[in-house]
Amino acid sequence: MLTKTGDTSSNPPYTIGSTAEWLRYVTRLRLSVSEQERSATVSSTTEGGFLNAVSFCKDYKKNGKTPLLSFYIHRFLRYSPTYMIVLGFYAILMSYTGSGRLWPNYDTNPVCKRTWGWNLLHLNNFQNQYEQCYKPTWFYAGGMQLHIVSPLILIPLIKWPIVGYACVCVCILASSLLLFVLTVKFNLMHGFSAIAFNFSDLKTFYGRYNMYMDIIWDKPYTRLSSFLVGIAYGCYFHRKNFTKAGKSSKLSLYYGLIAFAISTWISSIRNNVGKSTWETAVHDIISSFLFCICSAWILYACSSGQGGSHPLNFRATTAIVMKVVSGYSKTSMRCAMKPLTVPPRGKLRS
């Protein structure tokens, strides 16, 4: 079924001979692609919420308040110019960077001509898959939307911590309930890896997959829980003043490591996409939440000095966190790419 044509070497073409073998091969991509992609977006959103909260709290402590207008304008000016340049290059010049039967031959991307305003307003993730100018930018749009609503949680966390943390818990529960209801109501499947169970009706599969992307994957409420966990820890981090060297707690570190290992194991268990819709929904919600807790613990271990060194200022803390995130991202990419290799003679590599 999978063949590499035009191979003139002594080795036979790359091939996966039977449907059963192809199904096994596609199923194995689940953890390496679907789970790694989910983990990367969850961890990035958690870290974004953390940095957002710390920055907001610092401004509030310094000035006694945070001007919301400057809070929004600063974010927009920091990212949007570069974002628009990249989008313009993709829309106007991308077609000139290559050629071939599958390469676009238009002068300007016709979809971008119609919908670029959605990107400028950071609302493009509320379009369907076929109307988005540049699909990967859904993540940036979702991040901007979460940034806009973050003061609704940050201000209570600063002024009335108990009320703020209660709001965080309520929002996390509401977000989880919404995801569960949407998944069950529209009978959504878990990502592209579900193709392994739907070869008999690919047309229906692609329809359900696109619906999953439009209703669940691209939307900000899908990552609201991880963003709020990052915000909650960011405010806690600022209140406890971890930027100053303090006494390291081995007990805290060891219990944290154990909880981290258990949570990571649970969140990475392969979900059997052949299960019922509600079981899939519950698994996705729990695994994503546990992984964002794991990401928050990494932030705690780095920022509080439990990981072995005490950061002396926020800049050092950020550098350490970004180093951890960078290492994780590289590892995730290697794990994701490794199973995609199909060696000669049709034998799948583990």
Side-chain angles (χ1 to χ4, degrees):
M1 296 180 64
L2 181 65
T3 305
K4 177 185 176 184
T5 59
D7 189 355
T8 57
S9 64
S10 58
N11 292 325
Y14 294 5
T15 179
I16 298 179
S18 65
T19 301
E21 191 174 3
W22 170 250
L23 288 174
R24 288 195 299 271
Y25 173 69
V26 173
T27 303
R28 288 175 53 210
L29 298 182
R30 172 172 176 73
L31 184 61
S32 60
V33 177
S34 297
E35 294 298 343
Q36 294 294 346
E37 187 176 10
R38 177 199 300 273
S39 301
T41 57
V42 167
S43 60
S44 297
T45 306
T46 305
E47 291 136 17
F50 168 76
L51 296 175
N52 188 22
V54 172
S55 177
F56 190 94
C57 291
K58 287 180 65 178
D59 289 342
Y60 191 91
K61 182 178 180 180
K62 181 179 179 180
N63 304 318
K65 62 179 181 179
T66 297
L68 294 182
L69 184 60
S70 63
F71 177 73
Y72 295 134
I73 292 177
H74 176 70
R75 167 85 178 198
F76 184 84
L77 294 179
R78 185 172 56 176
Y79 289 104
S80 294
T82 304
Y83 173 45
M84 290 296 109
I85 291 173
V86 172
L87 194 68
F89 176 87
Y90 173 78
I92 300 173
L93 300 177
M94 189 67 181
S95 60
Y96 297 98
T97 61
S99 61
R101 296 180 62 184
L102 299 179
W103 200 259
N105 56 8
Y106 48 70
D107 294 327
T108 301
N109 191 314
V111 177
C112 294
K113 277 185 177 181
R114 299 192 308 268
T115 64
W116 66 271
W118 289 76
N119 293 82
L120 181 62
L121 296 174
H122 303 92
L123 295 173
N124 51 289
N125 59 328
F126 284 95
Q127 297 176 289
N128 65 46
Q129 296 294 301
Y130 301 103
E131 293 177 347
Q132 294 189 40
C133 171
Y134 188 37
K135 293 180 182 179
T137 57
W138 67 265
F139 186 77
Y140 174 70
M144 177 63 80
Q145 292 153 16
L146 292 173
H147 180 84
I148 290 173
V149 301
S150 61
L152 298 177
I153 299 296
L154 285 167
I155 293 176
L157 280 171
I158 295 173
K159 292 186 175 182
W160 315 286
I162 296 178
V163 175
Y165 287 117
C167 290
V168 168
C169 294
V170 170
C171 290
I172 289 175
L173 289 175
S175 172
S176 301
L177 180 61
L178 177 62
L179 292 176
F180 177 83
V181 170
L182 290 175
T183 302
V184 174
K185 179 180 179 180
F186 293 99
N187 191 26
L188 302 177
M189 59 181 60
H190 178 86
F192 191 78
S193 58
I195 192 175
F197 295 86
N198 293 272
F199 261 101
S200 59
D201 190 359
L202 289 178
K203 183 177 180 180
T204 301
F205 163 76
Y206 282 117
R208 292 178 63 195
Y209 171 71
N210 288 330
M211 188 180 296
Y212 167 81
M213 298 295 290
D214 291 336
I215 296 176
I216 298 293
W217 184 254
D218 290 356
K219 299 302 181 286
Y221 48 74
T222 303
R223 285 156 195 87
L224 180 61
S225 296
S226 54
F227 187 74
L228 291 177
V229 168
I231 280 182
Y233 176 65
C235 291
Y236 178 79
F237 167 86
H238 187 268
R239 186 176 298 109
K240 293 297 183 180
N241 200 16
F242 285 145
T243 54
K244 294 183 179 180
K247 185 178 180 180
S248 177
S249 172
K250 290 186 177 180
L251 186 65
S252 174
L253 177 63
Y254 293 153
Y255 277 118
L257 281 172
I258 294 172
F260 175 82
I262 295 174
S263 298
T264 303
W265 174 72
I266 294 175
S267 65
S268 63
I269 293 176
R270 298 192 184 194
N271 181 29
N272 182 0
V273 289
K275 291 182 178 180
S276 65
T277 305
W278 75 267
E279 289 177 305
T280 299
V282 170
H283 173 272
D284 291 348
I285 292 169
I286 293 177
S287 62
S288 295
F289 180 74
L290 287 177
F291 195 84
C292 80
I293 295 297
C294 294
S295 301
W297 185 85
I298 293 177
L299 292 171
Y300 167 75
C302 293
S303 60
S304 65
Q306 301 300 315
S309 62
H310 290 280
L312 299 180
N313 52 50
F314 178 68
R315 182 173 297 178
T317 300
T318 305
I320 293 174
V321 171
M322 290 301 104
K323 184 176 181 180
V324 173
V325 174
S326 176
Y328 170 78
S329 300
K330 292 178 181 178
T331 303
S332 299
M333 183 60 69
R334 286 195 294 267
C335 292
M337 294 303 295
K338 183 178 178 181
L340 296 177
T341 303
V342 183
R345 304 183 187 281
K347 295 181 180 179
L348 298 178
R349 183 180 300 167
S350 60

